[in-house]
Amino acid sequence: MISLADLAAIREKMQDRLNSRPGDHSSTRIVVGMATCGIAAGARPVLTAFNDEVNSRKLQNVVVLQTGCIGICLFEPVVEVYKPGQDKVTYVHMTPEKVAKIVAEHIVDDNVVSEYTIGAAE
């Protein structure tokens, strides 16, 4: 039987692992929707393009992650950008060709590329 102290130690260990994961809230996170609808719409090349662009620029504190369904299939491929202390930005109808502009203008220069956002697509 596990004691309360053992459970507390397990909880603390797991909390430390969660807090040290790539993409914690001190990093800029680029999250690509990779559910079946996103993949069918072309999300895989978008994910690859973001990884390539971030790596080629040697950006620090920027992680590219994938997630499942974001819930707006009509707008796939969808990418969400989370910058510390800022509101989430949702980019829609993404293509690999749009990635360099988003990385240069939004991730590096801190200017949202409004024409690629969900507000512009509605």
Side-chain angles (χ1 to χ4, degrees), residues 27-102:
S27 298
T28 293
R29 294 174 293 143
I30 302 168
V31 182
V32 181
M34 292 289 290
T36 54
C37 55
I39 293 169
R44 191 166 309 282
V46 170
L47 176 70
T48 300
F50 270 111
N51 276 317
D52 292 347
E53 189 71 19
V54 167
N55 289 334
S56 71
R57 289 173 168 268
K58 297 178 177 40
L59 298 178
Q60 300 297 311
N61 293 322
V62 177
V63 293
V64 179
L65 304 167
Q66 47 185 315
T67 191
C69 182
I70 294 176
I72 50 175
C73 301
L74 177 67
F75 296 104
E76 293 288 357
V78 175
V79 173
E80 295 180 326
V81 174
Y82 299 85
K83 293 192 84 169
Q86 298 180 14
D87 291 337
K88 169 186 75 173
V89 176
T90 302
Y91 290 106
V92 297
H93 303 298
M94 283 300 303
T95 65
E97 294 76 25
K98 295 177 180 178
V99 169
K101 184 172 183 172
I102 290 172

